[in-house]
Amino acid sequence: MRAFFFFLLISMAAVAAKASIPNQIHPLRPTAGSAGRHVPQINCLSWRLAVETNNIQNWKLVPLQCESYVGHYMLGKQYRDDCNAVIVAAIQYAKTLKIAKDGKDVWVFDIDETTLSNLPYYARSDVAFGATKFNGTKFDEWTREGKAPAVPGALFLYRTLLAMGIKPVFITGTKEEFRQVRIANLKKVGYHSWVKLILKGVNDTGSSVMYKSGKRAELVKAGYRIVGNIGDQWSDLLGDFVGDRTFKLPDPMYYIG
C-alpha cells in the first residue's frame, strides 16, 4: 500500500510536468510571520484544524491575526501536500470500485477551490486570504477573467477517473451567467469533458446544502450513480444523495453554509 501511495505521488508530479503545470499557482509573497508561528490570543493552526473538521461553523472572516498564517499555508508546500493526500485517497478508493459499462457511474466535483483555484484573487492585498469582507462584485470580475488555474492534484484525479470509465459531473455555486466563462476556463487548464455542468440559476434559492442536495437528487432520479463526491466546503458533502464516499479538500479562506 505504501509503495502504491508513493507511485501515485510520483505519477501526479510527472503528469503535471508533462502538462507544463507550474508547481506554484501563485508566487509566494513575502510577509511577516511564518506558517505555524503562535499568534497572541489565537493559535492559527488550531483554528484551521477546527475549520477543516467543521467544528467551527458559519464563520465570516479569517481572523485578522491569521491572515499571514493562512497566506503562507495556501501558497506554500503544505497546502499542495494536503491536496495531494486527499487525491491519493480518492484514487485508492476509486480503484476498488466495479465500474458498470452503462456510463451511469459519476463522480461529483465542485469547482471553486476544488477543480479551479481562486488563489490569485485571494492573494491580493485587498482580499487578504479571506481576512477582509467578501466583495461579490470584485469576485465576479475575477471570475469573468477566466484565469483560474487548476487546484493541485485535482486534474490528476479527473484524468484518472475518466480513464477508469467514471464520468465527471460539476455542480457549482457559480452563477449561470458565467457558464461560457467557466467552460472556457475549465478547458483551458485541462478539464475537457463532463456529463453535466450544473451552475446556480436565478431560481435556485436556499442554502448551498439544499441547492447541491437538490441537484444531486436530480442526477440520481435520472439514473446516475454517484460513486464519489469531492469539494472544499462541507456544504458540498452534506445533505442528501452525497454519493458512496466523499472527500474534502482543504480551504481555510472562506465558509459556505
mmCIF file of all heavy atoms in Angstrom, residues 104 106 108 169-172 176 179 195-201 203-205 209-226 239-243:
data_model
loop_
_atom_site.group_PDB
_atom_site.id
_atom_site.type_symbol
_atom_site.label_atom_id
_atom_site.label_comp_id
_atom_site.label_asym_id
_atom_site.label_seq_id
_atom_site.Cartn_x
_atom_site.Cartn_y
_atom_site.Cartn_z
ATOM 1 N N LYS A 104 -23.203 5.278 -16.334
ATOM 2 C CA LYS A 104 -24.012 5.940 -15.302
ATOM 3 C C LYS A 104 -23.271 6.142 -13.978
ATOM 4 O O LYS A 104 -23.820 6.728 -13.051
ATOM 5 C CB LYS A 104 -25.285 5.127 -15.057
ATOM 6 C CG LYS A 104 -26.257 5.128 -16.235
ATOM 7 C CD LYS A 104 -26.831 6.510 -16.474
ATOM 8 C CE LYS A 104 -27.911 6.492 -17.550
ATOM 9 N NZ LYS A 104 -28.543 7.821 -17.734
ATOM 10 N N VAL A 106 -20.927 8.152 -11.884
ATOM 11 C CA VAL A 106 -20.417 9.517 -11.973
ATOM 12 C C VAL A 106 -19.720 9.925 -10.679
ATOM 13 O O VAL A 106 -19.963 9.366 -9.602
ATOM 14 C CB VAL A 106 -21.544 10.526 -12.296
ATOM 15 C CG1 VAL A 106 -22.199 10.200 -13.627
ATOM 16 C CG2 VAL A 106 -22.574 10.579 -11.177
ATOM 17 N N VAL A 108 -18.992 13.485 -8.574
ATOM 18 C CA VAL A 108 -19.367 14.897 -8.482
ATOM 19 C C VAL A 108 -18.170 15.727 -8.039
ATOM 20 O O VAL A 108 -17.524 15.427 -7.033
ATOM 21 C CB VAL A 108 -20.547 15.091 -7.518
ATOM 22 C CG1 VAL A 108 -20.808 16.586 -7.289
ATOM 23 C CG2 VAL A 108 -21.805 14.416 -8.068
ATOM 24 N N VAL A 169 -19.128 15.005 -13.109
ATOM 25 C CA VAL A 169 -20.241 15.956 -13.093
ATOM 26 C C VAL A 169 -19.802 17.134 -12.236
ATOM 27 O O VAL A 169 -19.331 16.939 -11.117
ATOM 28 C CB VAL A 169 -21.519 15.340 -12.498
ATOM 29 C CG1 VAL A 169 -22.592 16.417 -12.294
ATOM 30 C CG2 VAL A 169 -22.061 14.233 -13.393
ATOM 31 N N PHE A 170 -19.932 18.336 -12.755
ATOM 32 C CA PHE A 170 -19.594 19.528 -11.994
ATOM 33 C C PHE A 170 -20.874 20.162 -11.448
ATOM 34 O O PHE A 170 -21.807 20.441 -12.213
ATOM 35 C CB PHE A 170 -18.859 20.543 -12.868
ATOM 36 C CG PHE A 170 -17.501 20.088 -13.332
ATOM 37 C CD1 PHE A 170 -17.317 19.635 -14.635
ATOM 38 C CD2 PHE A 170 -16.419 20.086 -12.474
ATOM 39 C CE1 PHE A 170 -16.076 19.213 -15.074
ATOM 40 C CE2 PHE A 170 -15.165 19.664 -12.895
ATOM 41 C CZ PHE A 170 -14.988 19.226 -14.203
ATOM 42 N N ILE A 171 -20.906 20.372 -10.141
ATOM 43 C CA ILE A 171 -22.007 21.103 -9.512
ATOM 44 C C ILE A 171 -21.393 22.257 -8.742
ATOM 45 O O ILE A 171 -20.621 22.048 -7.798
ATOM 46 C CB ILE A 171 -22.833 20.226 -8.556
ATOM 47 C CG1 ILE A 171 -23.377 18.995 -9.271
ATOM 48 C CG2 ILE A 171 -23.985 21.037 -7.951
ATOM 49 C CD1 ILE A 171 -24.189 18.065 -8.378
ATOM 50 N N THR A 172 -21.715 23.469 -9.129
ATOM 51 C CA THR A 172 -21.071 24.644 -8.561
ATOM 52 C C THR A 172 -22.080 25.710 -8.169
ATOM 53 O O THR A 172 -23.174 25.784 -8.744
ATOM 54 C CB THR A 172 -20.065 25.246 -9.572
ATOM 55 O OG1 THR A 172 -19.546 26.476 -9.060
ATOM 56 C CG2 THR A 172 -20.732 25.526 -10.908
ATOM 57 N N GLU A 176 -25.237 31.100 -13.188
ATOM 58 C CA GLU A 176 -25.451 30.625 -14.547
ATOM 59 C C GLU A 176 -24.895 31.579 -15.598
ATOM 60 O O GLU A 176 -24.448 31.146 -16.667
ATOM 61 C CB GLU A 176 -26.950 30.395 -14.780
ATOM 62 C CG GLU A 176 -27.340 29.923 -16.163
ATOM 63 C CD GLU A 176 -26.809 28.531 -16.498
ATOM 64 O OE1 GLU A 176 -26.773 27.679 -15.586
ATOM 65 O OE2 GLU A 176 -26.429 28.306 -17.665
ATOM 66 N N ARG A 179 -21.552 30.708 -17.325
ATOM 67 C CA ARG A 179 -21.398 29.368 -17.900
ATOM 68 C C ARG A 179 -20.290 29.320 -18.949
ATOM 69 O O ARG A 179 -19.389 28.467 -18.885
ATOM 70 C CB ARG A 179 -22.721 28.892 -18.500
ATOM 71 C CG ARG A 179 -22.607 27.550 -19.244
ATOM 72 C CD ARG A 179 -23.958 27.012 -19.671
ATOM 73 N NE ARG A 179 -24.749 26.618 -18.505
ATOM 74 C CZ ARG A 179 -24.664 25.434 -17.908
ATOM 75 N NH1 ARG A 179 -23.804 24.513 -18.365
ATOM 76 N NH2 ARG A 179 -25.420 25.157 -16.879
ATOM 77 N N VAL A 195 -20.184 14.950 -17.996
ATOM 78 C CA VAL A 195 -21.572 14.564 -18.262
ATOM 79 C C VAL A 195 -22.485 15.767 -18.119
ATOM 80 O O VAL A 195 -23.336 16.036 -18.963
ATOM 81 C CB VAL A 195 -22.024 13.448 -17.290
ATOM 82 C CG1 VAL A 195 -23.517 13.169 -17.443
ATOM 83 C CG2 VAL A 195 -21.231 12.177 -17.545
ATOM 84 N N LYS A 196 -22.307 16.513 -17.030
ATOM 85 C CA LYS A 196 -23.124 17.699 -16.790
ATOM 86 C C LYS A 196 -22.280 18.770 -16.108
ATOM 87 O O LYS A 196 -21.385 18.468 -15.313
ATOM 88 C CB LYS A 196 -24.331 17.371 -15.901
ATOM 89 C CG LYS A 196 -25.399 16.524 -16.569
ATOM 90 C CD LYS A 196 -26.573 16.285 -15.623
ATOM 91 C CE LYS A 196 -27.658 15.453 -16.287
ATOM 92 N NZ LYS A 196 -28.322 16.173 -17.384
ATOM 93 N N LEU A 197 -22.579 20.022 -16.441
ATOM 94 C CA LEU A 197 -22.011 21.175 -15.753
ATOM 95 C C LEU A 197 -23.195 21.971 -15.210
ATOM 96 O O LEU A 197 -23.907 22.630 -15.954
ATOM 97 C CB LEU A 197 -21.187 22.029 -16.712
ATOM 98 C CG LEU A 197 -20.672 23.371 -16.173
ATOM 99 C CD1 LEU A 197 -19.783 23.172 -14.951
ATOM 100 C CD2 LEU A 197 -19.914 24.132 -17.260
ATOM 101 N N ILE A 198 -23.404 21.867 -13.899
ATOM 102 C CA ILE A 198 -24.589 22.452 -13.260
ATOM 103 C C ILE A 198 -24.195 23.715 -12.520
ATOM 104 O O ILE A 198 -23.410 23.673 -11.568
ATOM 105 C CB ILE A 198 -25.238 21.440 -12.299
ATOM 106 C CG1 ILE A 198 -25.621 20.165 -13.064
ATOM 107 C CG2 ILE A 198 -26.449 22.048 -11.614
ATOM 108 C CD1 ILE A 198 -26.077 19.020 -12.175
ATOM 109 N N LEU A 199 -24.736 24.848 -12.968
ATOM 110 C CA LEU A 199 -24.492 26.131 -12.338
ATOM 111 C C LEU A 199 -25.768 26.626 -11.664
ATOM 112 O O LEU A 199 -26.871 26.137 -11.944
ATOM 113 C CB LEU A 199 -23.994 27.162 -13.351
ATOM 114 C CG LEU A 199 -22.570 26.942 -13.879
ATOM 115 C CD1 LEU A 199 -22.559 25.963 -15.036
ATOM 116 C CD2 LEU A 199 -21.944 28.262 -14.310
ATOM 117 N N LYS A 200 -25.624 27.618 -10.807
ATOM 118 C CA LYS A 200 -26.739 28.102 -9.997
ATOM 119 C C LYS A 200 -27.577 29.111 -10.770
ATOM 120 O O LYS A 200 -27.093 30.166 -11.170
ATOM 121 C CB LYS A 200 -26.222 28.732 -8.705
ATOM 122 C CG LYS A 200 -27.269 28.848 -7.619
ATOM 123 C CD LYS A 200 -26.629 29.197 -6.292
ATOM 124 C CE LYS A 200 -27.635 29.119 -5.146
ATOM 125 N NZ LYS A 200 -26.987 29.391 -3.833
ATOM 126 N N GLY A 201 -28.847 28.772 -10.990
ATOM 127 C CA GLY A 201 -29.763 29.662 -11.696
ATOM 128 C C GLY A 201 -30.451 30.634 -10.759
ATOM 129 O O GLY A 201 -30.366 30.519 -9.535
ATOM 130 N N ASN A 203 -33.440 30.889 -10.014
ATOM 131 C CA ASN A 203 -34.499 30.250 -9.229
ATOM 132 C C ASN A 203 -33.964 29.248 -8.203
ATOM 133 O O ASN A 203 -34.746 28.637 -7.467
ATOM 134 C CB ASN A 203 -35.488 29.542 -10.163
ATOM 135 C CG ASN A 203 -36.233 30.515 -11.064
ATOM 136 O OD1 ASN A 203 -36.585 31.613 -10.629
ATOM 137 N ND2 ASN A 203 -36.468 30.123 -12.305
ATOM 138 N N ASP A 204 -32.657 29.081 -8.170
ATOM 139 C CA ASP A 204 -32.041 28.182 -7.193
ATOM 140 C C ASP A 204 -31.795 28.955 -5.896
ATOM 141 O O ASP A 204 -30.826 29.709 -5.780
ATOM 142 C CB ASP A 204 -30.726 27.619 -7.722
ATOM 143 C CG ASP A 204 -30.929 26.661 -8.867
ATOM 144 O OD1 ASP A 204 -31.873 25.850 -8.802
ATOM 145 O OD2 ASP A 204 -30.148 26.719 -9.844
ATOM 146 N N THR A 205 -32.697 28.797 -4.962
ATOM 147 C CA THR A 205 -32.613 29.540 -3.706
ATOM 148 C C THR A 205 -32.311 28.593 -2.542
ATOM 149 O O THR A 205 -32.244 27.379 -2.718
ATOM 150 C CB THR A 205 -33.930 30.284 -3.435
ATOM 151 O OG1 THR A 205 -35.008 29.335 -3.393
ATOM 152 C CG2 THR A 205 -34.216 31.306 -4.527
ATOM 153 N N VAL A 209 -26.248 23.699 0.906
ATOM 154 C CA VAL A 209 -26.565 22.290 1.161
ATOM 155 C C VAL A 209 -27.855 21.902 0.444
ATOM 156 O O VAL A 209 -27.927 20.851 -0.218
ATOM 157 C CB VAL A 209 -26.684 22.013 2.671
ATOM 158 C CG1 VAL A 209 -27.215 20.599 2.914
ATOM 159 C CG2 VAL A 209 -25.342 22.197 3.354
ATOM 160 N N MET A 210 -28.880 22.745 0.555
ATOM 161 C CA MET A 210 -30.160 22.466 -0.104
ATOM 162 C C MET A 210 -30.005 22.448 -1.626
ATOM 163 O O MET A 210 -30.535 21.563 -2.311
ATOM 164 C CB MET A 210 -31.189 23.501 0.321
ATOM 165 C CG MET A 210 -31.598 23.447 1.783
ATOM 166 S SD MET A 210 -32.700 24.823 2.238
ATOM 167 C CE MET A 210 -34.045 24.576 1.076
ATOM 168 N N TYR A 211 -29.301 23.452 -2.144
ATOM 169 C CA TYR A 211 -29.113 23.567 -3.595
ATOM 170 C C TYR A 211 -28.389 22.342 -4.157
ATOM 171 O O TYR A 211 -28.843 21.718 -5.121
ATOM 172 C CB TYR A 211 -28.331 24.844 -3.902
ATOM 173 C CG TYR A 211 -27.646 24.866 -5.241
ATOM 174 C CD1 TYR A 211 -28.375 24.865 -6.432
ATOM 175 C CD2 TYR A 211 -26.247 24.883 -5.336
ATOM 176 C CE1 TYR A 211 -27.737 24.882 -7.669
ATOM 177 C CE2 TYR A 211 -25.612 24.898 -6.554
ATOM 178 C CZ TYR A 211 -26.349 24.900 -7.720
ATOM 179 O OH TYR A 211 -25.722 24.911 -8.938
ATOM 180 N N LYS A 212 -27.276 21.962 -3.539
ATOM 181 C CA LYS A 212 -26.498 20.852 -4.071
ATOM 182 C C LYS A 212 -27.187 19.511 -3.843
ATOM 183 O O LYS A 212 -27.092 18.606 -4.677
ATOM 184 C CB LYS A 212 -25.089 20.883 -3.487
ATOM 185 C CG LYS A 212 -24.315 22.127 -3.934
ATOM 186 C CD LYS A 212 -22.825 21.966 -3.893
ATOM 187 C CE LYS A 212 -22.165 23.133 -4.616
ATOM 188 N NZ LYS A 212 -20.704 22.990 -4.721
ATOM 189 N N SER A 213 -27.903 19.397 -2.727
ATOM 190 C CA SER A 213 -28.679 18.174 -2.490
ATOM 191 C C SER A 213 -29.716 17.992 -3.590
ATOM 192 O O SER A 213 -29.919 16.881 -4.107
ATOM 193 C CB SER A 213 -29.367 18.229 -1.126
ATOM 194 O OG SER A 213 -28.440 18.141 -0.072
ATOM 195 N N GLY A 214 -30.382 19.082 -3.941
ATOM 196 C CA GLY A 214 -31.411 19.023 -4.980
ATOM 197 C C GLY A 214 -30.847 18.626 -6.331
ATOM 198 O O GLY A 214 -31.454 17.824 -7.058
ATOM 199 N N LYS A 215 -29.695 19.179 -6.664
ATOM 200 C CA LYS A 215 -29.084 18.853 -7.959
ATOM 201 C C LYS A 215 -28.603 17.401 -7.997
ATOM 202 O O LYS A 215 -28.717 16.726 -9.024
ATOM 203 C CB LYS A 215 -27.935 19.810 -8.256
ATOM 204 C CG LYS A 215 -28.356 21.275 -8.365
ATOM 205 C CD LYS A 215 -29.460 21.472 -9.396
ATOM 206 C CE LYS A 215 -29.883 22.920 -9.493
ATOM 207 N NZ LYS A 215 -31.009 23.124 -10.456
ATOM 208 N N ARG A 216 -28.083 16.934 -6.879
ATOM 209 C CA ARG A 216 -27.662 15.518 -6.824
ATOM 210 C C ARG A 216 -28.869 14.600 -6.891
ATOM 211 O O ARG A 216 -28.823 13.525 -7.526
ATOM 212 C CB ARG A 216 -26.851 15.259 -5.555
ATOM 213 C CG ARG A 216 -25.492 15.946 -5.521
ATOM 214 C CD ARG A 216 -24.639 15.418 -4.382
ATOM 215 N NE ARG A 216 -25.256 15.630 -3.083
ATOM 216 C CZ ARG A 216 -24.968 16.634 -2.258
ATOM 217 N NH1 ARG A 216 -24.071 17.546 -2.620
ATOM 218 N NH2 ARG A 216 -25.555 16.737 -1.086
ATOM 219 N N ALA A 217 -29.988 15.018 -6.280
ATOM 220 C CA ALA A 217 -31.212 14.225 -6.352
ATOM 221 C C ALA A 217 -31.680 14.076 -7.798
ATOM 222 O O ALA A 217 -32.145 13.001 -8.215
ATOM 223 C CB ALA A 217 -32.305 14.870 -5.495
ATOM 224 N N GLU A 218 -31.547 15.141 -8.572
ATOM 225 C CA GLU A 218 -31.926 15.092 -9.982
ATOM 226 C C GLU A 218 -31.051 14.107 -10.753
ATOM 227 O O GLU A 218 -31.534 13.395 -11.653
ATOM 228 C CB GLU A 218 -31.827 16.490 -10.595
ATOM 229 C CG GLU A 218 -32.852 17.484 -10.045
ATOM 230 C CD GLU A 218 -32.650 18.881 -10.588
ATOM 231 O OE1 GLU A 218 -31.775 19.065 -11.474
ATOM 232 O OE2 GLU A 218 -33.343 19.806 -10.129
ATOM 233 N N LEU A 219 -29.775 14.062 -10.408
ATOM 234 C CA LEU A 219 -28.870 13.109 -11.056
ATOM 235 C C LEU A 219 -29.310 11.671 -10.773
ATOM 236 O O LEU A 219 -29.397 10.839 -11.684
ATOM 237 C CB LEU A 219 -27.445 13.307 -10.553
ATOM 238 C CG LEU A 219 -26.663 14.522 -11.036
ATOM 239 C CD1 LEU A 219 -25.333 14.611 -10.294
ATOM 240 C CD2 LEU A 219 -26.417 14.449 -12.542
ATOM 241 N N VAL A 220 -29.592 11.393 -9.507
ATOM 242 C CA VAL A 220 -29.998 10.037 -9.118
ATOM 243 C C VAL A 220 -31.317 9.669 -9.775
ATOM 244 O O VAL A 220 -31.505 8.547 -10.251
ATOM 245 C CB VAL A 220 -30.098 9.936 -7.582
ATOM 246 C CG1 VAL A 220 -30.686 8.591 -7.166
ATOM 247 C CG2 VAL A 220 -28.718 10.122 -6.950
ATOM 248 N N LYS A 221 -32.238 10.618 -9.819
ATOM 249 C CA LYS A 221 -33.535 10.368 -10.457
ATOM 250 C C LYS A 221 -33.376 10.055 -11.933
ATOM 251 O O LYS A 221 -34.153 9.277 -12.511
ATOM 252 C CB LYS A 221 -34.446 11.585 -10.272
ATOM 253 C CG LYS A 221 -35.860 11.376 -10.768
ATOM 254 C CD LYS A 221 -36.732 12.592 -10.490
ATOM 255 C CE LYS A 221 -38.156 12.372 -10.982
ATOM 256 N NZ LYS A 221 -39.025 13.556 -10.699
ATOM 257 N N ALA A 222 -32.339 10.653 -12.550
ATOM 258 C CA ALA A 222 -32.077 10.411 -13.977
ATOM 259 C C ALA A 222 -31.332 9.094 -14.209
ATOM 260 O O ALA A 222 -31.021 8.752 -15.357
ATOM 261 C CB ALA A 222 -31.284 11.578 -14.560
ATOM 262 N N GLY A 223 -31.035 8.366 -13.129
ATOM 263 C CA GLY A 223 -30.418 7.050 -13.274
ATOM 264 C C GLY A 223 -28.922 7.004 -13.044
ATOM 265 O O GLY A 223 -28.297 5.938 -13.189
ATOM 266 N N TYR A 224 -28.327 8.123 -12.676
ATOM 267 C CA TYR A 224 -26.888 8.135 -12.418
ATOM 268 C C TYR A 224 -26.590 7.602 -11.021
ATOM 269 O O TYR A 224 -27.384 7.757 -10.097
ATOM 270 C CB TYR A 224 -26.328 9.555 -12.564
ATOM 271 C CG TYR A 224 -26.354 10.064 -13.988
ATOM 272 C CD1 TYR A 224 -27.333 10.963 -14.408
ATOM 273 C CD2 TYR A 224 -25.400 9.648 -14.904
ATOM 274 C CE1 TYR A 224 -27.372 11.427 -15.719
ATOM 275 C CE2 TYR A 224 -25.420 10.106 -16.223
ATOM 276 C CZ TYR A 224 -26.410 10.993 -16.621
ATOM 277 O OH TYR A 224 -26.441 11.442 -17.917
ATOM 278 N N ARG A 225 -25.425 7.004 -10.873
ATOM 279 C CA ARG A 225 -24.953 6.512 -9.589
ATOM 280 C C ARG A 225 -23.755 7.361 -9.160
ATOM 281 O O ARG A 225 -22.725 7.360 -9.848
ATOM 282 C CB ARG A 225 -24.550 5.034 -9.692
ATOM 283 C CG ARG A 225 -25.712 4.101 -10.041
ATOM 284 C CD ARG A 225 -25.218 2.662 -10.197
ATOM 285 N NE ARG A 225 -24.338 2.514 -11.349
ATOM 286 C CZ ARG A 225 -24.765 2.267 -12.598
ATOM 287 N NH1 ARG A 225 -26.072 2.135 -12.840
ATOM 288 N NH2 ARG A 225 -23.898 2.146 -13.578
ATOM 289 N N ILE A 226 -23.897 8.066 -8.047
ATOM 290 C CA ILE A 226 -22.821 8.930 -7.565
ATOM 291 C C ILE A 226 -21.862 8.078 -6.736
ATOM 292 O O ILE A 226 -22.117 7.778 -5.578
ATOM 293 C CB ILE A 226 -23.378 10.104 -6.731
ATOM 294 C CG1 ILE A 226 -24.393 10.911 -7.560
ATOM 295 C CG2 ILE A 226 -22.236 11.000 -6.255
ATOM 296 C CD1 ILE A 226 -25.088 12.021 -6.777
ATOM 297 N N GLY A 239 -25.925 16.718 3.370
ATOM 298 C CA GLY A 239 -27.262 16.736 2.776
ATOM 299 C C GLY A 239 -27.636 15.384 2.193
ATOM 300 O O GLY A 239 -27.175 14.339 2.653
ATOM 301 N N ASP A 240 -28.461 15.410 1.158
ATOM 302 C CA ASP A 240 -28.980 14.187 0.542
ATOM 303 C C ASP A 240 -28.172 13.782 -0.688
ATOM 304 O O ASP A 240 -27.610 14.628 -1.386
ATOM 305 C CB ASP A 240 -30.440 14.389 0.145
ATOM 306 C CG ASP A 240 -31.325 14.720 1.341
ATOM 307 O OD1 ASP A 240 -31.054 14.177 2.435
ATOM 308 O OD2 ASP A 240 -32.265 15.516 1.188
ATOM 309 N N PHE A 241 -28.151 12.472 -0.951
ATOM 310 C CA PHE A 241 -27.532 11.916 -2.161
ATOM 311 C C PHE A 241 -26.079 12.386 -2.327
ATOM 312 O O PHE A 241 -25.663 12.787 -3.416
ATOM 313 C CB PHE A 241 -28.354 12.285 -3.401
ATOM 314 C CG PHE A 241 -29.794 11.870 -3.322
ATOM 315 C CD1 PHE A 241 -30.781 12.789 -2.982
ATOM 316 C CD2 PHE A 241 -30.167 10.552 -3.549
ATOM 317 C CE1 PHE A 241 -32.119 12.408 -2.881
ATOM 318 C CE2 PHE A 241 -31.493 10.163 -3.443
ATOM 319 C CZ PHE A 241 -32.467 11.091 -3.110
ATOM 320 N N VAL A 242 -25.312 12.324 -1.245
ATOM 321 C CA VAL A 242 -23.934 12.807 -1.294
ATOM 322 C C VAL A 242 -23.016 11.866 -2.065
ATOM 323 O O VAL A 242 -21.896 12.242 -2.435
ATOM 324 C CB VAL A 242 -23.364 13.030 0.120
ATOM 325 C CG1 VAL A 242 -24.134 14.131 0.827
ATOM 326 C CG2 VAL A 242 -23.379 11.744 0.940
ATOM 327 N N GLY A 243 -23.455 10.656 -2.307
ATOM 328 C CA GLY A 243 -22.624 9.688 -3.011
ATOM 329 C C GLY A 243 -22.103 8.604 -2.083
ATOM 330 O O GLY A 243 -22.272 8.669 -0.862
#
